[in-house]
Amino acid sequence: MRDAGRVVKTYTIAVLPGDGIGPEVIAQAERALEAAGERFAIEFTLRRFPLGAAGVAAAGDPFPEETRAAVARADAVLLGAVGDPSLDQAPRHLRPEFGLLALRAQLGVYANLRPVAVFPALVDRSPLKADRLEGVDVLIVRELTGGLYYGEPRGRDAGGASAVNTLRYSAAEIKRVARVAFESARQRRGHVTSVDKANVLEVSQLWRETVTRVGRDYPDVRLDHLYVDTAAMRLVADPRAFDVLLTENMFGDILSDEAAVLVGSLGLLPSASLGDGPGLFEPIHGSAPDIAGRDLANPIGAIATVAMLLRHGLGLAEPAAAVERAISLALEQGARTRDIAESGAPALGTREMGLRITGLIGEAQRSRASVAS
Ligand code: NAD
């Protein structure tokens, strides 16, 4: 497609705002995506579809048929968050989280990438001392479509007094996510720490053997192994020790939330979930019902997610870097939402923070235009 002499590429993004603060932060993420598109002459067709409680309300299904079809056709999927306390007691197939797990399974996104880097402007917002935080830059690679969250058999027995979940991994499932971790380490500081519980669990023994075998294909990457309990301690005691942290589904769920504490707010962090088809991109936080609908949510996690979508989902490194720079710049200029503001200090709402960052994404374009005119 051509627009006034500029070649414009078009990508279709399925946008799933979800529940709670999801629609609020996603509105700002869409704004950021459009600003990046404007600056780099890329056209995004953004189409919204319901997921989670929104799917139950619209179609009686947390992952409605219309949404299933749309994500399969999209170039990438951008998700807010799901979860609604009113459905906490609903049957499993009607719970928002069921929709999310089904979405991940349909897309086959087996590798979840969660970067955790401390913004220098926010060092004082972390519960850890500043000297422990300098230079912290961890990439958590979490297996996402296997393990305890998917294993069968599962369920409560007839009387409800006992229950079972199954932890199962095949070597093939471990191998493919391990490769993502080693490849990522090659782009970073060349160090993979694989986390398991091999002293107790047979599945972890298979995990450790398989990761070690994959590691032989990457002699330039240093590999070490940690038990999950030690890893949990080291993440807060010495977070700089990690470059790429590779782990299975449930350990990754827990460790990535622990790592999020380092940066000062859950509202700051993005994630990318990758498989062989379209990727799924979502901030790591949930639907935060306690602040939903009040313009209080931090949209930075969702906007940083747009950067991951551009880089990992569409292979657009330069626009991704522009979005990341705009976030850092807004923080350096003192922009704060309530979750990262000092107590009593004035704070921006979700929308205002989105506008600040979006303005900075467009900045370079405006300065180029003024030089030309
Ligand atoms: P949560 O992440 O929604 O909230 C935890 C705390 O962090 C809350 O105090 C919340 O106000 C705050 N918070 C989260 N995001 C924020 C943001 N962007 N800006 C400012 N503050 C923010 O986790 P929760 O309370 O345990 O779960 C709430 C619901 O979300 C539940 O239904 C849960 O199942 C669901 N959930 C969904 C996902 C997902 O969609 N991937 C992830 C986690 C939890």
Side-chain angles (χ1 to χ4, degrees):
M1 181 176 159
R2 274 180 186 280
D3 169 26
R6 294 198 304 171
V7 177
V8 179
K9 282 193 187 167
T10 304
Y11 295 97
T12 301
I13 312 297
V15 180
L16 318 181
D19 309 320
I21 61 168
E24 296 172 60
V25 297
I26 283 299
Q28 305 316 314
E30 288 175 320
R31 203 191 281 284
L33 197 52
E34 275 161 358
E38 177 70 18
R39 174 167 162 193
F40 291 94
I42 307 159
E43 191 171 281
F44 297 107
T45 305
L46 305 177
R47 299 230 162 85
R48 289 181 163 217
F49 300 92
L51 183 81
V56 175
D61 183 346
F63 188 24
E65 196 46 55
E66 179 200 14
T67 308
R68 280 175 196 269
V71 299
R73 284 195 309 266
D75 292 307
V77 181
L78 176 64
L79 166 65
V82 298
D84 189 320
S86 72
L87 291 169
D88 280 353
Q89 305 308 321
R92 185 165 168 263
H93 71 281
L94 287 180
R95 294 213 194 134
E97 296 73 18
F98 183 83
L100 178 59
L101 292 181
L103 168 68
R104 289 173 178 167
Q106 180 184 309
L107 291 174
V109 283
Y110 56 82
N112 180 230
L113 272 54
R114 294 187 175 199
V116 178
V118 177
F119 290 105
L122 294 183
V123 159
D124 62 335
R125 296 292 81 207
S126 171
L128 256 64
K129 292 203 185 86
D131 62 336
R132 293 226 172 137
L133 290 170
E134 207 177 311
V136 167
D137 182 3
V138 186
L139 176 69
I140 298 183
V141 178
R142 165 189 171 196
E143 200 291 327
L144 200 62
T145 51
L148 209 50
Y149 295 0
Y150 288 93
E152 298 283 349
R154 64 183 298 153
R156 302 280 288 264
D157 71 5
S162 68
V164 65
N165 288 98
T166 300
L167 175 57
R168 182 190 303 279
Y169 269 108
S170 67
E173 285 174 300
I174 300 167
K175 233 184 251 170
R176 63 185 184 180
V177 71
R179 289 208 179 281
V180 173
F182 283 103
E183 293 291 341
S184 304
R186 274 192 170 158
Q187 311 298 317
R188 297 169 48 95
R189 303 192 300 281
H191 178 201
V192 170
T193 305
S194 175
V195 172
D196 60 42
K197 190 71 184 167
N199 48 344
V200 180
L201 300 173
E202 286 79 0
V203 173
S204 279
Q205 289 155 14
L206 176 67
W207 181 277
R208 193 173 279 221
E209 282 163 30
T210 309
V211 171
T212 303
R213 222 173 302 126
V214 173
R216 290 191 194 120
D217 294 339
Y218 299 85
D220 49 323
V221 176
R222 180 158 69 93
L223 169 65
D224 48 34
H225 303 272
L226 280 186
Y227 296 136
V228 62
D229 34 359
T230 313
M233 283 193 296
R234 197 163 295 170
L235 257 180
V236 285
D238 185 16
R240 266 190 301 253
F242 295 98
D243 176 16
V244 176
L245 188 162
L246 164 67
T247 192
E248 59 95 73
N249 203 344
M250 187 172 73
F251 295 160
D253 192 1
I254 298 166
L255 292 177
S256 53
D257 269 22
E258 186 193 352
V261 171
L262 303 175
V263 304
S265 170
L266 269 182
L268 291 166
L269 293 178
S271 82
S273 302
L274 308 175
D276 299 324
L280 172 64
F281 300 86
E282 51 181 318
I284 73 154
H285 60 73
S287 59
D290 54 331
I291 57 167
R294 295 162 58 199
D295 196 39
L296 288 175
N298 190 338
I300 289 182
I303 296 173
T305 294
V306 161
M308 291 198 88
L309 183 153
L310 291 164
R311 178 177 289 114
H312 298 281
L314 307 178
L316 300 170
E318 206 189 335
V323 172
E324 286 161 350
R325 260 197 313 276
I327 293 171
S328 297
L329 209 54
L331 290 171
E332 279 161 29
Q333 291 174 357
R336 300 283 186 272
T337 42
R338 197 186 63 162
D339 56 313
I340 51 173
E342 283 182 38
S343 85
L348 301 177
T350 310
R351 188 168 176 277
E352 187 61 30
M353 180 62 112
L355 285 168
R356 289 276 184 104
I357 295 170
T358 306
L360 292 166
I361 295 171
E363 198 101 293
Q365 185 195 25
R366 273 197 295 280
S367 47
R368 257 207 318 265
S370 59
V371 168
S373 62

